[in-house]
Amino acid sequence: MVRERIFIAGLGLIGGSLAKAFKKCGYEIHAYDVNKSAVEKAICEGIVKEKIEDLDEAEDEYAFSFICVPVLESIPILGKLSSKIKNGIITDVGSTKTQICQFAIKHKISNFIGGHPMAGTEKIGYDYSFDSLFNGAYYFITPSNLNRKEDIEKLKKLLQSIGCRVEEIDFELHDKITGVISHLPHVVSAGLVNMLSSNEIYCKFAGGGFKDITRISSSSPKMWADISISNKNVLLELIEAYIELLKNFKLSLQNENYNQIYSYFEKAKLIRDKIVSDRK
């Protein structure tokens, strides 16, 4: 027996993986993507039941609608969907939440609940999506005072059904957290890779350690440009703090202060080891 219908706007890695996970749970999936071939492939695979050609065609027939596009494109899509979908829950998967949540509050879109799965890979597109991507992953939701408690609980239960560890959090705090643990690391990773461009011989000998620390630089440039702009104020503060950290290390190195240099690496090891230990 088919359960409720779910609409997914954007069938890339995250949208495609949600579609596959929800399909596995028995939901009927309808999808929209500017890349028509992604939706057609999902239909051929039996994941998507129906293709939506234009968002203006969306009807108020979905229990849940997921916006799975780069963050700067999410707000216009929310504007369109909220004019059509009044009964079901609308949510998104963007890495920043403040802008879209403030938009929803300003326009009194009471059936929108911000969301962000802390899951993904460096790969891009539907071809790399898989139904177990969210197993054990944290999934932030960022409700506002406009949302009904029953809608928040419905969304939580849906996400838990595909293996997510759901965390309810304030949208501004969310952007500070993801700025530290996700957005700044992507900026730093890209910077390390861009340093190789000064000499081809660096690329030749870049080995396992370098590839591990810079794996995330293979992610979508469009997605990360959007995230950077969307979380601009938080990122600017973090970049300043990181520069200060490097300046202090540079000073320790110039002065050959062994104890401070040792402490720099020791502190990092202790924190990193605790993170790994806590997740086992």
Side-chain angles (χ1 to χ4, degrees):
M1 177 180 174
V2 173
R3 298 169 75 175
E4 298 163 302
R5 288 176 177 166
I6 293 177
F7 175 60
I8 297 178
L11 214 58
L13 172 68
I14 299 299
S17 296
L18 283 173
K20 291 175 180 179
F22 292 142
K23 173 64 179 176
K24 195 173 182 180
C25 290
Y27 291 92
E28 180 179 304
I29 312 299
H30 294 190
Y32 163 85
D33 198 297
V34 292
N35 179 6
K36 308 295 185 186
S37 62
V39 182
E40 288 163 4
K41 182 173 183 180
I43 291 173
C44 289
E45 291 177 349
I47 302 300
V48 170
K49 174 73 172 179
E50 187 174 320
K51 174 171 63 176
I52 304 301
E53 296 282 359
D54 192 310
L55 289 176
D56 290 328
E57 298 175 7
E59 297 181 6
D60 196 4
E61 60 177 323
Y62 303 108
F64 303 93
S65 297
F66 284 80
I67 302 171
C68 305
V69 301
V71 291
L72 295 185
E73 298 171 21
S74 295
I75 290 177
I77 290 179
L78 174 58
K80 279 191 174 185
L81 290 182
S82 63
S83 69
K84 303 281 185 179
I85 298 170
K86 303 293 185 181
N87 295 309
I89 296 166
I90 304 173
T91 187
D92 75 319
V93 299
S95 291
T96 59
K97 300 269 64 82
T98 299
Q99 287 186 348
I100 196 164
C101 288
Q102 286 179 340
F103 176 87
I105 292 168
K106 179 180 178 181
H107 295 275
K108 295 182 172 55
I109 306 173
S110 60
N111 59 335
F112 173 79
I113 303 171
H116 176 213
M118 296 297 288
T121 73
E122 73 277 15
K123 302 297 185 180
I124 304 168
Y126 177 81
D127 288 343
Y128 296 100
S129 62
F130 53 99
D131 61 24
S132 61
L133 178 62
F134 308 100
N135 284 350
Y138 281 108
Y139 199 119
F140 289 117
I141 62 168
T142 57
S144 73
N145 292 332
L146 292 178
N147 299 132
R148 300 188 307 169
K149 287 184 179 179
E150 52 264 44
D151 284 347
I152 297 169
E153 289 305 312
K154 281 180 184 177
L155 181 58
K156 281 183 178 179
K157 287 180 181 178
L158 175 74
L159 297 172
Q160 288 166 349
S161 75
I162 59 171
C164 298
R165 300 162 69 183
V166 182
E167 291 282 334
E168 189 176 330
I169 195 170
D170 172 77
F171 56 77
E172 290 182 340
L173 177 58
H174 166 276
D175 286 1
K176 290 178 182 177
I177 291 171
T178 53
V180 173
I181 67 173
S182 178
H183 305 166
L184 180 64
H186 272 82
V187 173
V188 172
S189 173
L192 291 172
V193 176
N194 287 335
M195 286 184 70
L196 300 189
S197 64
S198 63
N199 194 321
E200 286 188 8
I201 198 170
Y202 297 154
C203 297
K204 178 179 179 180
F205 293 109
F210 188 85
K211 289 176 182 177
D212 286 345
I213 201 172
T214 60
R215 174 187 60 82
I216 54 179
S217 289
S218 291
S219 302
S220 164
K222 163 67 174 167
M223 179 176 74
W224 283 102
D226 279 23
I227 288 170
S228 298
I229 294 294
S230 183
N231 208 18
K232 170 187 167 184
N233 292 335
V234 169
L235 256 181
L236 286 173
E237 288 182 12
L238 291 173
I239 289 169
E240 283 300 318
Y242 187 63
I243 289 172
E244 191 64 26
L245 191 69
L246 289 178
K247 281 182 177 178
N248 289 335
F249 180 81
K250 179 183 176 182
L251 185 62
S252 298
L253 195 58
Q254 286 173 333
N255 295 331
E256 295 188 13
N257 189 322
Y258 186 88
N259 288 338
Q260 288 182 4
I261 293 169
Y262 181 92
S263 178
Y264 178 87
F265 291 111
E266 181 186 40
K267 183 179 179 181
K269 173 175 168 50
L270 291 172
I271 295 171
R272 174 65 164 64
D273 288 351
K274 186 178 187 306
I275 292 169
V276 174
S277 176
D278 287 348
R279 290 186 179 178
K280 285 181 179 179

